Amino acid sequence: MTAPLLEARGVTLQYKTAQHLLTATYRVDLEVHRGERFIILGPSGCGKTTLLKAVGGFLEPVEGRIMLAGRPIRGPGPDRMMVFQDFEQLMPWKTVLGNVTFPLRVKRAWKAREIKERAMAALEKVHLAEFAHVYPHMLSGGMKMRVAIARALVMEPEILLMDEPFAALDALTRRHMQRELLELWRMLGFTMLFVTHSIEEAVTLGSRILLLSAHPGQVRAELNAGHLDGRDAADPAFGALTRHIHDLLFGEGREPANA
Amino acid sequence: MPDPVRAALAQDLPPRPEFERVPQDVGQIGAVEAPLSLRERLFGNIAVRRGLVLIGIALLWEGYARWLNVSLLFPTFSETVRVFVADLLSGVLSERILTSLRVLLIGYAAGVALAAVLTTLAVATRIGNDILSVLTAMFNPLPAIALLPLALIWFGLGTGSIVFVLIHGTLWAIVLNTVTGFRAVPETLRMSGRNFGLKGPRYVAQILMPAASASILAGLKIGWAFAWRTLIAAELVFGVSSRSGGLGWYIFEAREELETARVFAGLFAVILIGLLVESVIFRTIEARTVRRWGMQR
Ligand SMILES: Nc1ncnc2c1ncn2[C@@H]1O[C@H](COP(=O)(O)OP(=O)(O)O)[C@@H](O)[C@H]1O
Ligand SMILES: [Mg+2]
């Protein structure tokens, strides 16, 4: 097996607040390989976002290390493009096209024409080409999320980091977006690290699922879901995995020792 | 276990047939929009409605002044307009206005520039932030005109003193709003900016400033309003002794000579310029920026 693209070893993450020290994750290990759809799944508050922020370079582990392609992560960078849950991540003062071209411009590696072509190509992939010149506030939630995804994909990052990107959408739009994301993955073959608290979303989207226990997050299990590719909730194998995860998180299994 | 009351209620509901429909092609429904009537359009227009209110006020003023018939105390609207236009054309009033605006622009520009420097320092360092917070809290409540005596001691009679007071009037309002605006920039927008690799001045200029543009504009607007009022007041206090006075002096002079219509014309000019800047210039900037971007309603 080749070396993992992203590797976390014994990562403990803490927040220092004015009153106390809060441990968000405790000694988490994970390995993400190229082309994987790696899901971090766990109950609300278990430190999923914190872990993703650490991979994004916004937070340093107090213990352990995180490596991307063999190099330790130092600060944020466009090789790890992030997509967040809320709609405020878009720049309201820029059009859809302006938002997508922005990170390309910041990097100063391309000519103006090439930047526009790349951005338009990315917008076509998320079916937003005809909205290129619209301001974000005129878009629906699902469309805003597609802009954020296009903006992340246009940079062709080593890994795409997504923090519950569909959690704020209505159920129908969410299903739709999940299907579109899988299509994009089939088309482009990127690596993604996707955070969610929904078991169903994890099983639908993931090729591999990391389960975190409740606060502070510790690794509970790591499961394969790639064999379910394209099957939906009606499929028995889908249901079996869902129940298995449910039992691991909420039933039968031991609670973490220091709960 | 089924609830017996509920079950009974459900059975009592009248039976209704189910149905499914295919939506019609909207092309066949015909025009959904229809033009509004002229009357609806006129009264739907804010400018028209407010214009009518203004005309109403002018008529009331004219009527009351005529009935009172003491032009020394309360000149009529038409007389005020006549003096206003005459002085504007003869150059007396226009010169005063230009003098005022020149001083105002110097003070305002200096205030804005200083605010930019201070907020940059406040964003860049924590101690800068603390210093600015304390200074703003201290000086913001102090009316600019209250500093005039001190300005006179330091800078003597003249433009220097007024500019000093104007800077004080604009600086803190702009700083306060800008810093508040920076603080309100959403966490994920900040993280996106840094995710793209933006740092330092580029990050401030390309993420924080545009994201806070609604607050910054509000600060500029408040700063302008403070400056304009402060300027007129300052000119009234000591405009008499400066050779080329501004609008404040024009009003003061007219009072000395008991030309009440001219006092009114001066006030008229103050209002007009204030309105012009606040509801034409700033409104236009807002419409082209923050409103267009959906950052302000
Ligand atoms: N900026 C912060 N300062 C202090 N504590 C935080 C901060 N952000 C998150 N936390 C705490 O860290 C824990 C994990 O949070 P988070 O990573 O957001 O969880 P999740 O994304 O899994 O819901 C929670 O207990 C949360 O209250
Ligand atoms: Mg979260």
Side-chain angles (χ1 to χ4, degrees):
Chain A
M1 206 176 203
T2 51
L5 173 64
L6 179 79
E7 193 182 355
R9 289 268 162 264
V11 171
T12 301
L13 296 165
Q14 288 179 334
Y15 288 106
K16 271 198 193 79
T17 62
Q19 286 85 35
H20 52 265
L21 205 64
L22 190 141
T23 302
T25 71
Y26 185 70
R27 294 192 178 164
V28 170
D29 299 305
L30 62 84
E31 277 182 14
V32 181
H33 290 263
R34 263 180 218 285
E36 264 183 335
R37 304 186 308 271
F38 194 96
I39 311 283
I40 299 175
L41 173 64
S44 224
C46 76
K48 305 182 294 294
T49 297
T50 311
L51 195 56
L52 207 71
K53 275 192 203 164
V55 175
F58 291 97
L59 202 75
E60 266 191 41
V62 289
E63 187 188 11
R65 64 203 158 89
I66 308 177
M67 321 267 282
L68 184 75
R71 285 183 301 275
I73 281 171
R74 272 200 203 87
D79 55 343
R80 289 148 286 143
M81 289 298 282
M82 302 184 82
V83 176
F84 302 98
Q85 173 181 346
D86 64 52
F87 305 130
E88 291 174 326
Q89 60 189 308
L90 298 181
M91 295 171 283
W93 62 93
K94 285 187 182 292
T95 59
V96 167
L97 183 62
N99 266 280
V100 179
T101 53
F102 187 77
L104 293 165
R105 281 182 214 282
V106 169
K107 205 171 170 192
R108 291 177 172 161
W110 299 275
K111 292 204 182 71
R113 229 187 90 216
E114 202 188 340
I115 286 179
K116 197 172 167 204
E117 279 166 11
R118 276 170 179 258
M120 282 313 292
L123 282 175
E124 246 146 54
K125 282 183 200 124
V126 297
H127 314 297
L128 277 181
E130 68 261 49
F131 292 94
H133 300 289
V134 164
Y135 286 94
H137 74 105
M138 301 169 84
L139 301 179
S140 70
M143 289 158 102
K144 284 181 194 163
M145 215 28 96
R146 302 216 294 263
V147 178
I149 292 173
R151 187 174 74 173
L153 286 176
V154 81
M155 297 299 287
E156 296 174 3
E158 292 267 25
I159 187 167
L160 187 61
L161 308 178
M162 306 182 93
D163 186 11
E164 311 208 25
F166 308 145
L169 304 176
D170 63 90
L172 278 177
T173 312
R174 181 158 58 234
R175 297 259 303 269
H176 200 83
M177 295 293 299
Q178 290 168 351
R179 218 169 301 142
E180 277 192 20
L181 184 63
L182 282 175
E183 261 163 43
L184 281 172
W185 178 82
R186 266 179 220 119
M187 187 162 46
L188 305 170
F190 47 81
T191 314
M192 74 176 184
L193 182 58
F194 189 106
V195 160
T196 182
H197 67 259
S198 153
I199 298 178
E200 199 190 337
E201 183 165 73
V203 176
T204 306
L205 289 180
S207 62
R208 193 154 171 94
I209 302 172
L210 176 82
L211 295 191
L212 289 184
S213 65
H215 178 82
Q218 301 179 61
V219 175
R220 178 79 178 85
E222 216 178 281
L223 306 168
N224 281 320
H227 58 287
L228 294 173
D229 229 14
R231 304 193 201 180
D232 62 8
D235 191 281
F238 189 104
L241 183 55
T242 308
R243 271 191 306 281
H244 183 46
I245 293 173
H246 195 275
D247 290 344
L248 280 171
L249 286 180
F250 306 112
E252 300 173 355
R254 319 166 295 276
E255 289 295 307
N258 59 347
Chain B
M1 204 208 301
D3 182 338
V5 180
R6 280 248 185 115
L9 279 177
Q11 269 168 11
D12 286 344
L13 290 173
R16 304 181 59 184
E18 292 181 350
F19 60 85
E20 291 177 15
R21 273 186 193 168
V22 181
Q24 270 184 12
D25 186 8
V26 268
Q28 300 184 341
I29 300 176
V32 183
E33 302 168 49
L36 298 172
S37 72
L38 181 66
R39 199 170 154 266
E40 279 175 313
R41 257 183 300 164
L42 276 183
F43 283 93
N45 188 329
I46 292 185
V48 171
R49 284 203 314 265
R50 307 229 162 133
L52 284 178
V53 173
L54 268 182
I55 293 174
I57 292 173
L59 286 177
L60 271 178
W61 174 0
E62 184 73 22
Y64 180 68
R66 277 180 192 225
W67 174 77
L68 206 64
N69 200 17
V70 197
S71 92
L72 201 60
L73 282 182
F74 202 76
T76 61
F77 174 70
S78 48
E79 197 184 342
T80 303
V81 171
R82 198 160 50 241
V83 174
F84 178 75
V85 172
D87 277 2
L88 212 55
L89 292 181
S90 77
V92 183
L93 183 56
S94 25
E95 205 175 283
R96 298 276 178 265
I97 290 175
L98 281 182
T99 308
S100 282
L101 285 182
R102 198 159 29 209
V103 179
L104 182 83
L105 278 185
I106 295 173
Y108 190 63
V112 171
L114 216 60
V117 172
L118 290 186
T119 38
T120 307
L121 289 180
V123 172
T125 62
R126 201 164 74 175
I127 186 72
N129 188 5
D130 291 336
I131 293 175
L132 197 65
S133 296
V134 173
L135 285 182
T136 311
M138 258 168 66
F139 288 124
N140 193 44
L142 189 63
I145 201 73
L147 276 184
L148 196 55
L150 188 63
L152 289 175
I153 294 173
W154 285 349
F155 303 102
L157 289 173
T159 313
S161 289
I162 300 195
V163 168
F164 174 79
V165 175
L166 287 184
I167 290 176
H168 173 83
T170 50
L171 177 62
W172 308 114
I174 297 175
V175 164
L176 193 68
N177 276 274
T178 306
V179 171
T180 312
F182 282 177
R183 286 209 189 105
V185 177
E187 174 76 9
T188 50
L189 187 53
R190 291 166 181 272
M191 285 172 71
S192 290
R194 290 177 56 205
N195 186 203
F196 304 157
L198 286 175
K199 273 186 216 144
R202 272 182 98 196
Y203 171 71
V204 175
Q206 296 189 44
I207 299 288
L208 289 188
M209 298 226 334
S213 52
S215 305
I216 295 175
L217 252 177
L220 288 173
K221 219 158 94 173
I222 297 170
W224 150 265
F226 279 175
W228 184 232
R229 288 153 181 70
T230 305
L231 174 70
I232 302 300
E235 284 178 348
L236 271 173
V237 172
F238 72 60
V240 210
S241 50
S242 76
R243 185 140 300 165
S244 60
L247 250 182
W249 189 34
Y250 174 88
I251 296 171
F252 190 84
E253 219 179 18
R255 185 206 70 100
E256 294 269 272
E257 287 156 27
L258 283 182
E259 296 187 58
T260 314
R262 188 154 280 144
V263 172
F264 270 69
L267 294 176
F268 210 69
V270 174
I271 293 174
L272 220 58
I273 291 169
L275 267 182
L276 201 73
V277 175
E278 274 160 51
S279 43
V280 176
I281 297 182
F282 276 110
R283 193 67 63 85
T284 310
I285 295 176
E286 279 173 357
R288 300 228 169 134
T289 57
V290 286
R291 268 170 219 266
R292 182 151 172 244
W293 304 330
M295 295 168 79
Q296 191 191 68
R297 256 165 285 276

